Amino acid sequence: AQSVTQLGSHVSVSEGALVLLRCNYSSSVPPYLFWYVQYPNQGLQLLLKYTTGATLVKGINGFEAEFKKSETSFHLTKPSAHMSDAAEYFCAVTSYNNNDMRFGAGTRLTVKP
Amino acid sequence: GAGVSQSPSNKVTEKGKDVELRCDPISGHTALYWYRQSLGQGLEFLIYFQGNSAPDKSGLPSDRFSAERTGGSVSTLTIQRTQQEDSAVYLCASSSLLAGVGDTQYFGPGTRLTVL
Protein backbone atom coordinates (compact mmCIF):
# COMPACT_ATOMS: atom_id res chain seq x y z
CA ALA A 1 0.00 0.00 0.00
CA GLN A 2 1.14 3.50 -0.71
CA SER A 3 1.23 6.25 1.88
CA VAL A 4 2.44 9.77 2.43
CA THR A 5 3.78 11.47 5.53
CA GLN A 6 3.93 15.23 5.77
CA LEU A 7 6.25 16.41 8.53
CA GLY A 8 4.83 19.38 10.34
CA SER A 9 1.13 20.10 10.38
CA HIS A 10 1.87 23.80 10.61
CA VAL A 11 4.76 25.79 9.15
CA SER A 12 5.24 29.51 9.70
CA VAL A 13 7.65 31.66 7.70
CA SER A 14 8.27 35.34 7.23
CA GLU A 15 7.46 37.02 3.96
CA GLY A 16 10.46 36.68 1.67
CA ALA A 17 11.85 33.66 3.49
CA LEU A 18 12.38 30.19 2.06
CA VAL A 19 9.41 27.86 2.14
CA LEU A 20 10.13 24.17 2.74
CA LEU A 21 7.28 21.71 3.16
CA ARG A 22 8.32 18.13 3.71
CA CYS A 23 6.78 15.03 2.19
CA ASN A 24 7.97 11.45 2.44
CA TYR A 25 6.25 8.61 0.69
CA SER A 26 6.08 4.86 0.86
CA SER A 27 5.50 2.86 -2.30
CA SER A 28 6.52 -0.56 -3.56
CA VAL A 29 6.21 0.57 -7.17
CA PRO A 30 7.48 3.68 -8.95
CA PRO A 31 5.44 6.52 -7.49
CA TYR A 32 3.64 9.38 -9.09
CA LEU A 33 3.78 12.31 -6.69
CA PHE A 34 1.65 15.41 -6.43
CA TRP A 35 1.41 18.61 -4.43
CA TYR A 36 -1.97 20.26 -4.12
CA VAL A 37 -2.80 23.58 -2.49
CA GLN A 38 -6.05 24.51 -0.79
CA TYR A 39 -6.74 28.18 -0.22
CA PRO A 40 -9.29 29.11 2.44
CA ASN A 41 -12.81 28.11 1.48
CA GLN A 42 -11.68 26.76 -1.87
CA GLY A 43 -11.14 23.37 -3.41
CA LEU A 44 -7.78 21.76 -3.99
CA GLN A 45 -5.76 22.76 -7.01
CA LEU A 46 -2.69 21.14 -8.44
CA LEU A 47 0.63 22.84 -7.78
CA LEU A 48 2.87 20.35 -9.52
CA LYS A 49 3.36 16.66 -10.17
CA TYR A 50 6.08 14.14 -10.85
CA THR A 51 5.43 11.06 -12.96
CA THR A 52 8.59 10.25 -14.89
CA GLY A 53 11.59 12.07 -16.28
CA ALA A 54 13.24 15.08 -14.69
CA THR A 55 13.24 14.78 -10.93
CA LEU A 56 13.05 18.52 -10.31
CA VAL A 57 9.55 19.63 -11.09
CA LYS A 58 8.45 23.24 -11.36
CA GLY A 59 4.89 24.25 -10.63
CA ILE A 60 2.72 27.28 -10.43
CA ASN A 61 3.38 30.34 -8.28
CA GLY A 62 7.12 29.74 -8.12
CA PHE A 63 6.94 26.42 -6.29
CA GLU A 64 9.09 23.44 -7.14
CA ALA A 65 9.69 19.97 -5.77
CA GLU A 66 12.40 17.41 -6.21
CA PHE A 67 11.82 13.67 -6.32
CA LYS A 68 14.58 11.89 -4.41
CA LYS A 69 14.17 8.15 -4.67
CA SER A 70 17.02 7.40 -2.26
CA GLU A 71 15.33 9.49 0.42
CA THR A 72 11.74 8.60 -0.61
CA SER A 73 11.02 12.30 -0.49
CA PHE A 74 9.23 14.93 -2.53
CA HIS A 75 9.71 18.15 -0.58
CA LEU A 76 8.08 21.36 -1.79
CA THR A 77 10.09 24.57 -1.87
CA LYS A 78 9.77 28.19 -2.83
CA PRO A 79 12.71 30.60 -2.55
CA SER A 80 10.72 33.57 -1.30
CA ALA A 81 7.38 33.35 0.47
CA HIS A 82 4.56 35.72 -0.39
CA MET A 83 1.57 36.53 1.77
CA SER A 84 -0.67 34.96 -0.85
CA ASP A 85 1.04 31.60 -0.30
CA ALA A 86 -0.77 31.15 3.00
CA ALA A 87 -2.83 28.00 2.50
CA GLU A 88 -2.95 24.29 3.24
CA TYR A 89 -0.68 22.07 1.19
CA PHE A 90 -1.23 18.40 0.53
CA CYS A 91 1.23 15.86 -0.80
CA ALA A 92 -0.21 12.82 -2.58
CA VAL A 93 1.06 9.57 -4.09
CA THR A 94 -0.28 7.19 -6.65
CA SER A 95 1.25 5.06 -9.39
CA TYR A 96 0.75 4.00 -12.95
CA ASN A 97 -2.72 2.62 -13.61
CA ASN A 98 -3.61 3.07 -9.95
CA ASN A 99 -7.02 4.42 -9.09
CA ASP A 100 -6.19 5.11 -5.47
CA MET A 101 -4.40 8.37 -4.69
CA ARG A 102 -3.27 8.67 -1.07
CA PHE A 103 -3.00 12.10 0.48
CA GLY A 104 -0.98 13.29 3.43
CA ALA A 105 -2.56 15.00 6.40
CA GLY A 106 -1.66 18.41 5.04
CA THR A 107 0.60 21.25 6.15
CA ARG A 108 -0.84 24.65 6.92
CA LEU A 109 1.53 27.40 5.80
CA THR A 110 1.34 30.76 7.53
CA VAL A 111 3.25 33.73 6.13
CA LYS A 112 4.07 36.55 8.54
CA PRO A 113 4.58 40.09 7.29
CA GLY B 1 -18.62 26.30 -15.90
CA ALA B 2 -15.48 24.41 -16.78
CA GLY B 3 -14.65 23.06 -13.34
CA VAL B 4 -16.01 20.45 -10.98
CA SER B 5 -19.10 21.67 -9.16
CA GLN B 6 -20.66 20.36 -5.97
CA SER B 7 -23.94 21.03 -4.25
CA PRO B 8 -24.95 22.03 -1.72
CA SER B 9 -21.94 24.01 -0.52
CA ASN B 10 -23.12 23.61 3.06
CA LYS B 11 -25.48 21.13 4.64
CA VAL B 12 -26.64 21.03 8.22
CA THR B 13 -28.65 18.02 9.26
CA GLU B 14 -29.84 16.26 12.36
CA LYS B 15 -28.40 13.00 13.55
CA GLY B 16 -30.22 10.07 12.01
CA LYS B 17 -31.32 11.87 8.86
CA ASP B 18 -30.19 10.89 5.35
CA VAL B 19 -28.28 13.32 3.14
CA GLU B 20 -27.40 13.44 -0.55
CA LEU B 21 -24.39 15.27 -1.90
CA ARG B 22 -24.05 15.99 -5.59
CA CYS B 23 -21.01 16.25 -7.85
CA ASP B 24 -20.87 17.45 -11.46
CA PRO B 25 -17.50 16.50 -12.93
CA ILE B 26 -15.67 18.21 -15.74
CA SER B 27 -17.31 17.33 -19.03
CA GLY B 28 -15.56 14.40 -20.68
CA HIS B 29 -13.76 13.22 -17.56
CA THR B 30 -14.29 9.51 -17.16
CA ALA B 31 -12.92 9.17 -13.64
CA LEU B 32 -14.69 10.54 -10.57
CA TYR B 33 -13.56 10.39 -6.96
CA TRP B 34 -15.11 11.17 -3.61
CA TYR B 35 -12.99 12.11 -0.60
CA ARG B 36 -13.72 13.15 2.95
CA GLN B 37 -11.71 15.85 4.69
CA SER B 38 -12.15 15.94 8.43
CA LEU B 39 -10.87 18.77 10.61
CA GLY B 40 -7.12 18.54 11.00
CA GLN B 41 -6.85 15.44 8.86
CA GLY B 42 -5.90 14.74 5.30
CA LEU B 43 -8.12 13.55 2.53
CA GLU B 44 -9.68 10.17 3.05
CA PHE B 45 -10.49 8.28 -0.13
CA LEU B 46 -14.09 7.08 -0.24
CA ILE B 47 -15.02 5.79 -3.67
CA TYR B 48 -13.87 5.88 -7.28
CA PHE B 49 -15.77 5.58 -10.57
CA GLN B 50 -14.11 4.95 -13.92
CA GLY B 51 -16.27 4.82 -17.01
CA ASN B 52 -18.67 1.89 -16.97
CA SER B 53 -16.52 -0.24 -14.69
CA ALA B 54 -17.69 -1.33 -11.28
CA PRO B 55 -16.78 1.37 -8.75
CA ASP B 56 -13.98 0.95 -6.25
CA LYS B 57 -15.81 1.22 -2.94
CA SER B 58 -12.91 0.20 -0.76
CA GLY B 59 -12.76 3.53 1.06
CA LEU B 60 -16.37 3.74 2.19
CA PRO B 61 -16.27 3.76 6.02
CA SER B 62 -19.54 1.93 6.59
CA ASP B 63 -22.59 0.56 4.82
CA ARG B 64 -24.37 3.82 5.58
CA PHE B 65 -22.35 5.36 2.78
CA SER B 66 -23.16 4.75 -0.88
CA ALA B 67 -22.64 6.51 -4.16
CA GLU B 68 -23.84 6.25 -7.69
CA ARG B 69 -22.93 7.81 -10.95
CA THR B 70 -25.64 8.18 -13.54
CA GLY B 71 -24.87 8.23 -17.23
CA GLY B 72 -21.16 8.38 -16.56
CA SER B 73 -21.43 11.97 -15.43
CA VAL B 74 -23.16 13.29 -12.32
CA SER B 75 -22.52 11.46 -9.06
CA THR B 76 -24.46 11.41 -5.80
CA LEU B 77 -22.97 10.44 -2.46
CA THR B 78 -25.63 9.32 0.01
CA ILE B 79 -25.12 9.03 3.74
CA GLN B 80 -27.91 7.27 5.59
CA ARG B 81 -28.70 7.70 9.27
CA THR B 82 -26.05 10.36 9.66
CA GLN B 83 -23.87 10.42 12.76
CA GLN B 84 -21.95 13.32 14.27
CA GLU B 85 -18.66 11.76 13.20
CA ASP B 86 -19.82 12.12 9.59
CA SER B 87 -19.34 15.89 9.91
CA ALA B 88 -16.64 16.83 7.42
CA VAL B 89 -16.03 18.41 4.06
CA TYR B 90 -16.81 16.03 1.23
CA LEU B 91 -14.75 16.64 -1.85
CA CYS B 92 -15.33 15.39 -5.36
CA ALA B 93 -12.65 15.21 -8.04
CA SER B 94 -12.55 14.14 -11.65
CA SER B 95 -9.82 13.24 -14.09
CA SER B 96 -9.49 12.03 -17.63
CA LEU B 97 -7.35 9.06 -16.60
CA LEU B 98 -5.95 8.45 -20.04
CA ALA B 99 -4.18 5.11 -20.44
CA GLY B 100 -4.07 4.58 -16.71
CA VAL B 101 -1.42 7.23 -16.12
CA GLY B 102 -1.69 9.07 -12.82
CA ASP B 103 -3.65 11.93 -14.28
CA THR B 104 -4.25 15.12 -12.40
CA GLN B 105 -7.41 15.17 -10.34
CA TYR B 106 -9.45 18.35 -10.50
CA PHE B 107 -11.33 19.10 -7.31
CA GLY B 108 -14.64 20.73 -6.61
CA PRO B 109 -15.10 23.25 -3.79
CA GLY B 110 -16.58 20.63 -1.52
CA THR B 111 -19.72 20.25 0.56
CA ARG B 112 -19.39 21.04 4.25
CA LEU B 113 -21.62 18.63 6.16
CA THR B 114 -22.52 19.33 9.76
CA VAL B 115 -24.45 16.73 11.71
CA LEU B 116 -26.03 18.10 14.87
Side-chain angles (χ1 to χ4, degrees), chain B residues 55-106:
Chain B
D56 176 358
K57 304 179 181 180
S58 60
L60 294 179
S62 77
D63 59 8
R64 296 186 295 105
F65 288 73
S66 63
E68 62 178 23
R69 189 178 185 191
T70 54
S73 181
V74 173
S75 177
T76 302
L77 177 69
T78 301
I79 308 174
Q80 296 178 308
R81 306 181 301 281
T82 53
Q83 303 294 314
Q84 288 183 331
E85 60 263 30
D86 298 335
S87 296
V89 175
Y90 289 82
L91 294 168
C92 176
S94 71
S95 74
S96 60
L97 204 64
L98 297 174
V101 178
D103 272 3
T104 301
Q105 295 185 20
Y106 295 86

Short mmCIF file of all heavy atoms in Angstrom, two decimals, chain B residues 55-106:
data_model
loop_
_atom_site.label_atom_id
_atom_site.label_comp_id
_atom_site.label_asym_id
_atom_site.label_seq_id
_atom_site.Cartn_x
_atom_site.Cartn_y
_atom_site.Cartn_z
N PRO B 55 -17.51 0.41 -9.57
CA PRO B 55 -16.78 1.37 -8.75
C PRO B 55 -15.91 0.70 -7.70
O PRO B 55 -16.22 -0.40 -7.23
CB PRO B 55 -17.89 2.20 -8.10
CG PRO B 55 -19.10 1.32 -8.13
CD PRO B 55 -18.98 0.49 -9.35
N ASP B 56 -14.84 1.38 -7.35
CA ASP B 56 -13.98 0.95 -6.25
C ASP B 56 -14.52 1.56 -4.97
O ASP B 56 -14.35 2.76 -4.74
CB ASP B 56 -12.54 1.40 -6.52
CG ASP B 56 -11.59 1.08 -5.38
OD1 ASP B 56 -12.03 0.53 -4.35
OD2 ASP B 56 -10.39 1.39 -5.52
N LYS B 57 -15.15 0.74 -4.15
CA LYS B 57 -15.81 1.22 -2.94
C LYS B 57 -14.98 0.97 -1.69
O LYS B 57 -15.48 1.07 -0.56
CB LYS B 57 -17.16 0.52 -2.76
CG LYS B 57 -18.11 0.64 -3.93
CD LYS B 57 -19.39 -0.11 -3.65
CE LYS B 57 -20.36 -0.03 -4.82
NZ LYS B 57 -21.61 -0.77 -4.57
N SER B 58 -13.72 0.67 -1.89
CA SER B 58 -12.91 0.20 -0.76
C SER B 58 -12.74 1.22 0.35
O SER B 58 -12.40 0.86 1.48
CB SER B 58 -11.53 -0.25 -1.27
OG SER B 58 -10.87 0.84 -1.90
N GLY B 59 -12.96 2.50 0.05
CA GLY B 59 -12.76 3.53 1.06
C GLY B 59 -14.00 3.90 1.86
O GLY B 59 -13.91 4.67 2.82
N LEU B 60 -15.14 3.37 1.48
CA LEU B 60 -16.37 3.74 2.19
C LEU B 60 -16.28 3.25 3.63
O LEU B 60 -16.03 2.07 3.87
CB LEU B 60 -17.59 3.15 1.50
CG LEU B 60 -17.89 3.69 0.10
CD1 LEU B 60 -19.10 3.01 -0.50
CD2 LEU B 60 -18.10 5.20 0.15
N PRO B 61 -16.50 4.13 4.61
CA PRO B 61 -16.27 3.76 6.02
C PRO B 61 -17.32 2.84 6.62
O PRO B 61 -17.03 2.15 7.59
CB PRO B 61 -16.28 5.12 6.73
CG PRO B 61 -17.07 6.02 5.85
CD PRO B 61 -16.84 5.55 4.45
N SER B 62 -18.50 2.83 6.06
CA SER B 62 -19.54 1.93 6.59
C SER B 62 -20.61 1.74 5.53
O SER B 62 -20.61 2.41 4.50
CB SER B 62 -20.16 2.52 7.86
OG SER B 62 -21.07 3.56 7.54
N ASP B 63 -21.53 0.81 5.80
CA ASP B 63 -22.59 0.56 4.82
C ASP B 63 -23.64 1.67 4.82
O ASP B 63 -24.60 1.62 4.04
CB ASP B 63 -23.24 -0.80 5.07
CG ASP B 63 -23.85 -0.92 6.45
OD1 ASP B 63 -23.90 0.09 7.18
OD2 ASP B 63 -24.27 -2.04 6.81
N ARG B 64 -23.46 2.67 5.65
CA ARG B 64 -24.37 3.82 5.58
C ARG B 64 -24.02 4.74 4.41
O ARG B 64 -24.80 5.60 4.04
CB ARG B 64 -24.31 4.63 6.89
CG ARG B 64 -24.78 3.88 8.13
CD ARG B 64 -24.84 4.79 9.35
NE ARG B 64 -23.51 5.27 9.75
CZ ARG B 64 -23.06 6.51 9.54
NH1 ARG B 64 -23.83 7.39 8.92
NH2 ARG B 64 -21.85 6.86 9.93
N PHE B 65 -22.82 4.54 3.89
CA PHE B 65 -22.35 5.36 2.78
C PHE B 65 -22.54 4.61 1.46
O PHE B 65 -22.19 3.43 1.36
CB PHE B 65 -20.87 5.68 2.94
CG PHE B 65 -20.56 6.68 4.03
CD1 PHE B 65 -20.66 6.32 5.36
CD2 PHE B 65 -20.16 7.96 3.71
CE1 PHE B 65 -20.37 7.23 6.37
CE2 PHE B 65 -19.86 8.88 4.71
CZ PHE B 65 -19.97 8.51 6.03
N SER B 66 -23.05 5.33 0.46
CA SER B 66 -23.16 4.75 -0.88
C SER B 66 -23.04 5.87 -1.89
O SER B 66 -23.20 7.05 -1.56
CB SER B 66 -24.49 4.01 -1.04
OG SER B 66 -25.57 4.92 -0.92
N ALA B 67 -22.74 5.50 -3.10
CA ALA B 67 -22.64 6.51 -4.16
C ALA B 67 -23.03 5.87 -5.47
O ALA B 67 -22.87 4.66 -5.67
CB ALA B 67 -21.22 7.07 -4.23
N GLU B 68 -23.53 6.69 -6.34
CA GLU B 68 -23.84 6.25 -7.69
C GLU B 68 -23.44 7.34 -8.67
O GLU B 68 -23.30 8.51 -8.31
CB GLU B 68 -25.32 5.90 -7.83
CG GLU B 68 -26.27 7.06 -7.59
CD GLU B 68 -27.72 6.64 -7.82
OE1 GLU B 68 -28.03 5.43 -7.72
OE2 GLU B 68 -28.54 7.52 -8.09
N ARG B 69 -23.28 6.88 -9.89
CA ARG B 69 -22.93 7.81 -10.95
C ARG B 69 -23.81 7.49 -12.13
O ARG B 69 -23.73 6.40 -12.70
CB ARG B 69 -21.45 7.68 -11.33
CG ARG B 69 -21.00 8.76 -12.28
CD ARG B 69 -19.54 8.64 -12.62
NE ARG B 69 -19.12 9.77 -13.44
CZ ARG B 69 -17.96 9.83 -14.07
NH1 ARG B 69 -17.09 8.84 -13.98
NH2 ARG B 69 -17.64 10.89 -14.79
N THR B 70 -24.65 8.41 -12.48
CA THR B 70 -25.64 8.18 -13.54
C THR B 70 -25.11 8.68 -14.88
O THR B 70 -24.59 9.81 -14.98
CB THR B 70 -26.95 8.91 -13.21
OG1 THR B 70 -26.67 10.29 -12.95
CG2 THR B 70 -27.58 8.30 -11.97
N GLY B 71 -25.25 7.83 -15.88
CA GLY B 71 -24.87 8.23 -17.23
C GLY B 71 -23.41 8.59 -17.38
O GLY B 71 -23.04 9.30 -18.31
N GLY B 72 -22.59 8.10 -16.49
CA GLY B 72 -21.16 8.38 -16.56
C GLY B 72 -20.80 9.82 -16.29
O GLY B 72 -19.68 10.25 -16.60
N SER B 73 -21.72 10.56 -15.68
CA SER B 73 -21.43 11.97 -15.43
C SER B 73 -21.66 12.31 -13.97
O SER B 73 -20.82 12.06 -13.14
CB SER B 73 -22.27 12.85 -16.35
OG SER B 73 -22.00 14.21 -16.13
N VAL B 74 -22.85 12.82 -13.67
CA VAL B 74 -23.16 13.29 -12.32
C VAL B 74 -23.11 12.14 -11.32
O VAL B 74 -23.51 11.02 -11.61
CB VAL B 74 -24.57 13.93 -12.30
CG1 VAL B 74 -24.99 14.27 -10.88
CG2 VAL B 74 -24.59 15.17 -13.19
N SER B 75 -22.59 12.46 -10.13
CA SER B 75 -22.52 11.46 -9.06
C SER B 75 -23.22 12.00 -7.81
O SER B 75 -23.19 13.21 -7.53
CB SER B 75 -21.08 11.12 -8.72
OG SER B 75 -21.00 10.21 -7.65
N THR B 76 -23.83 11.08 -7.08
CA THR B 76 -24.46 11.41 -5.80
C THR B 76 -23.89 10.53 -4.71
O THR B 76 -23.85 9.31 -4.86
CB THR B 76 -25.99 11.20 -5.87
OG1 THR B 76 -26.53 12.00 -6.92
CG2 THR B 76 -26.64 11.60 -4.55
N LEU B 77 -23.44 11.16 -3.65
CA LEU B 77 -22.97 10.44 -2.46
C LEU B 77 -24.09 10.53 -1.42
O LEU B 77 -24.55 11.62 -1.09
CB LEU B 77 -21.69 11.06 -1.91
CG LEU B 77 -21.14 10.46 -0.62
CD1 LEU B 77 -20.61 9.05 -0.86
CD2 LEU B 77 -20.02 11.34 -0.04
N THR B 78 -24.54 9.37 -0.96
CA THR B 78 -25.63 9.32 0.01
C THR B 78 -25.11 8.79 1.33
O THR B 78 -24.38 7.78 1.38
CB THR B 78 -26.76 8.41 -0.49
OG1 THR B 78 -27.25 8.92 -1.73
CG2 THR B 78 -27.90 8.38 0.52
N ILE B 79 -25.44 9.49 2.39
CA ILE B 79 -25.12 9.03 3.74
C ILE B 79 -26.44 8.82 4.47
O ILE B 79 -27.23 9.76 4.64
CB ILE B 79 -24.25 10.04 4.51
CG1 ILE B 79 -23.03 10.45 3.69
CG2 ILE B 79 -23.81 9.44 5.84
CD1 ILE B 79 -22.21 11.56 4.31
N GLN B 80 -26.67 7.59 4.88
CA GLN B 80 -27.91 7.27 5.59
C GLN B 80 -27.68 7.33 7.09
O GLN B 80 -26.57 7.07 7.58
CB GLN B 80 -28.37 5.86 5.19
CG GLN B 80 -28.74 5.73 3.72
CD GLN B 80 -29.15 4.31 3.36
OE1 GLN B 80 -28.43 3.36 3.65
NE2 GLN B 80 -30.30 4.16 2.75
N ARG B 81 -28.74 7.69 7.80
CA ARG B 81 -28.70 7.70 9.27
C ARG B 81 -27.43 8.39 9.76
O ARG B 81 -26.61 7.81 10.48
CB ARG B 81 -28.79 6.27 9.81
CG ARG B 81 -29.99 5.49 9.27
CD ARG B 81 -30.04 4.09 9.85
NE ARG B 81 -28.85 3.31 9.56
CZ ARG B 81 -28.59 2.71 8.41
NH1 ARG B 81 -29.45 2.83 7.40
NH2 ARG B 81 -27.47 2.01 8.25
N THR B 82 -27.28 9.64 9.38
CA THR B 82 -26.05 10.36 9.66
C THR B 82 -25.71 10.38 11.15
O THR B 82 -26.59 10.42 12.02
CB THR B 82 -26.13 11.81 9.17
OG1 THR B 82 -27.32 12.43 9.70
CG2 THR B 82 -26.15 11.88 7.66
N GLN B 83 -24.42 10.35 11.42
CA GLN B 83 -23.87 10.42 12.76
C GLN B 83 -23.00 11.68 12.88
O GLN B 83 -22.54 12.21 11.86
CB GLN B 83 -23.02 9.18 13.06
CG GLN B 83 -23.76 7.87 12.88
CD GLN B 83 -24.89 7.71 13.89
OE1 GLN B 83 -24.68 7.95 15.09
NE2 GLN B 83 -26.07 7.32 13.44
N GLN B 84 -22.74 12.10 14.08
CA GLN B 84 -21.95 13.32 14.27
C GLN B 84 -20.55 13.17 13.70
O GLN B 84 -19.97 14.13 13.19
CB GLN B 84 -21.92 13.70 15.75
CG GLN B 84 -23.24 14.23 16.26
CD GLN B 84 -23.17 14.67 17.71
OE1 GLN B 84 -22.39 14.16 18.49
NE2 GLN B 84 -24.01 15.64 18.06
N GLU B 85 -20.01 11.96 13.74
CA GLU B 85 -18.66 11.76 13.20
C GLU B 85 -18.62 11.86 11.67
O GLU B 85 -17.53 11.85 11.08
CB GLU B 85 -18.08 10.42 13.64
CG GLU B 85 -18.89 9.20 13.23
CD GLU B 85 -19.81 8.72 14.32
OE1 GLU B 85 -20.27 9.55 15.14
OE2 GLU B 85 -20.10 7.50 14.36
N ASP B 86 -19.79 11.94 11.04
CA ASP B 86 -19.82 12.12 9.59
C ASP B 86 -19.56 13.58 9.21
O ASP B 86 -19.36 13.89 8.03
CB ASP B 86 -21.18 11.71 9.02
CG ASP B 86 -21.50 10.24 9.24
OD1 ASP B 86 -20.55 9.43 9.40
OD2 ASP B 86 -22.70 9.89 9.28
N SER B 87 -19.59 14.47 10.19
CA SER B 87 -19.34 15.89 9.91
C SER B 87 -17.95 16.06 9.31
O SER B 87 -16.95 15.64 9.90
CB SER B 87 -19.47 16.71 11.19
OG SER B 87 -20.78 16.65 11.71
N ALA B 88 -17.90 16.67 8.15
CA ALA B 88 -16.64 16.83 7.42
C ALA B 88 -16.93 17.61 6.14
O ALA B 88 -18.07 17.93 5.84
CB ALA B 88 -16.03 15.46 7.06
N VAL B 89 -15.87 17.87 5.41
CA VAL B 89 -16.03 18.41 4.06
C VAL B 89 -15.88 17.25 3.09
O VAL B 89 -14.89 16.51 3.15
CB VAL B 89 -14.98 19.50 3.75
CG1 VAL B 89 -15.10 19.95 2.30
CG2 VAL B 89 -15.15 20.68 4.70
N TYR B 90 -16.83 17.11 2.22
CA TYR B 90 -16.81 16.03 1.23
C TYR B 90 -16.41 16.63 -0.11
O TYR B 90 -17.07 17.53 -0.63
CB TYR B 90 -18.18 15.34 1.17
CG TYR B 90 -18.44 14.53 2.42
CD1 TYR B 90 -18.91 15.14 3.58
CD2 TYR B 90 -18.14 13.17 2.46
CE1 TYR B 90 -19.09 14.42 4.75
CE2 TYR B 90 -18.33 12.43 3.62
CZ TYR B 90 -18.79 13.07 4.76
OH TYR B 90 -18.97 12.34 5.92
N LEU B 91 -15.32 16.11 -0.62
CA LEU B 91 -14.75 16.64 -1.85
C LEU B 91 -14.93 15.64 -2.99
O LEU B 91 -14.78 14.43 -2.80
CB LEU B 91 -13.25 16.91 -1.67
CG LEU B 91 -12.90 18.03 -0.69
CD1 LEU B 91 -11.41 18.01 -0.38
CD2 LEU B 91 -13.28 19.38 -1.25
N CYS B 92 -15.21 16.18 -4.15
CA CYS B 92 -15.33 15.39 -5.36
C CYS B 92 -14.23 15.83 -6.31
O CYS B 92 -13.85 17.02 -6.34
CB CYS B 92 -16.69 15.62 -6.00
SG CYS B 92 -16.95 14.80 -7.58
N ALA B 93 -13.68 14.90 -7.05
CA ALA B 93 -12.65 15.21 -8.04
C ALA B 93 -12.91 14.39 -9.29
O ALA B 93 -13.50 13.31 -9.23
CB ALA B 93 -11.26 14.91 -7.49
N SER B 94 -12.45 14.91 -10.42
CA SER B 94 -12.55 14.14 -11.65
C SER B 94 -11.23 14.22 -12.40
O SER B 94 -10.43 15.13 -12.19
CB SER B 94 -13.72 14.62 -12.53
OG SER B 94 -13.45 15.90 -13.09
N SER B 95 -11.01 13.24 -13.25
CA SER B 95 -9.82 13.24 -14.09
C SER B 95 -10.13 12.50 -15.37
O SER B 95 -11.09 11.75 -15.46
CB SER B 95 -8.64 12.59 -13.36
OG SER B 95 -8.78 11.19 -13.29
N SER B 96 -9.27 12.69 -16.35
CA SER B 96 -9.49 12.03 -17.63
C SER B 96 -8.91 10.63 -17.63
O SER B 96 -9.33 9.77 -18.36
CB SER B 96 -8.89 12.84 -18.78
OG SER B 96 -7.50 13.00 -18.59
N LEU B 97 -7.93 10.39 -16.79
CA LEU B 97 -7.35 9.06 -16.60
C LEU B 97 -7.07 8.37 -17.93
O LEU B 97 -7.51 7.26 -18.18
CB LEU B 97 -8.25 8.18 -15.74
CG LEU B 97 -7.55 7.03 -15.02
CD1 LEU B 97 -6.54 7.57 -14.02
CD2 LEU B 97 -8.53 6.14 -14.32
N LEU B 98 -6.30 9.03 -18.75
CA LEU B 98 -5.95 8.45 -20.04
C LEU B 98 -4.91 7.36 -19.85
O LEU B 98 -3.89 7.57 -19.21
CB LEU B 98 -5.41 9.53 -20.98
CG LEU B 98 -6.40 10.64 -21.34
CD1 LEU B 98 -5.71 11.72 -22.14
CD2 LEU B 98 -7.57 10.05 -22.11
N ALA B 99 -5.15 6.20 -20.42
CA ALA B 99 -4.18 5.11 -20.44
C ALA B 99 -3.68 4.74 -19.06
O ALA B 99 -2.58 4.22 -18.91
CB ALA B 99 -2.99 5.47 -21.33
N GLY B 100 -4.45 5.01 -18.04
CA GLY B 100 -4.07 4.58 -16.71
C GLY B 100 -2.97 5.39 -16.06
O GLY B 100 -2.56 5.10 -14.95
N VAL B 101 -2.46 6.40 -16.72
CA VAL B 101 -1.42 7.23 -16.12
C VAL B 101 -2.02 8.03 -14.98
O VAL B 101 -3.19 8.36 -15.00
CB VAL B 101 -0.81 8.18 -17.18
CG1 VAL B 101 0.23 9.07 -16.56
CG2 VAL B 101 -0.22 7.36 -18.29
N GLY B 102 -1.20 8.31 -13.97
CA GLY B 102 -1.69 9.07 -12.82
C GLY B 102 -2.08 10.47 -13.21
O GLY B 102 -1.36 11.42 -12.93
N ASP B 103 -3.22 10.62 -13.83
CA ASP B 103 -3.65 11.93 -14.28
C ASP B 103 -4.03 12.83 -13.13
O ASP B 103 -4.46 12.39 -12.08
CB ASP B 103 -4.86 11.77 -15.22
CG ASP B 103 -4.41 11.58 -16.66
OD1 ASP B 103 -3.19 11.52 -16.90
OD2 ASP B 103 -5.28 11.49 -17.53
N THR B 104 -3.91 14.11 -13.39
CA THR B 104 -4.25 15.12 -12.40
C THR B 104 -5.73 15.02 -12.06
O THR B 104 -6.58 14.89 -12.95
CB THR B 104 -3.95 16.51 -12.95
OG1 THR B 104 -2.55 16.58 -13.27
CG2 THR B 104 -4.31 17.59 -11.96
N GLN B 105 -6.03 15.11 -10.79
CA GLN B 105 -7.41 15.17 -10.34
C GLN B 105 -7.79 16.63 -10.13
O GLN B 105 -7.04 17.39 -9.52
CB GLN B 105 -7.59 14.39 -9.04
CG GLN B 105 -7.34 12.90 -9.21
CD GLN B 105 -7.63 12.11 -7.96
OE1 GLN B 105 -8.34 12.55 -7.06
NE2 GLN B 105 -7.08 10.91 -7.88
N TYR B 106 -8.95 16.99 -10.64
CA TYR B 106 -9.45 18.35 -10.50
C TYR B 106 -10.57 18.31 -9.46
O TYR B 106 -11.53 17.56 -9.61
CB TYR B 106 -9.96 18.88 -11.84
CG TYR B 106 -8.85 19.02 -12.86
CD1 TYR B 106 -8.47 17.93 -13.65
CD2 TYR B 106 -8.17 20.21 -13.01
CE1 TYR B 106 -7.45 18.04 -14.56
CE2 TYR B 106 -7.14 20.33 -13.93
CZ TYR B 106 -6.78 19.24 -14.70
OH TYR B 106 -5.75 19.35 -15.60
#
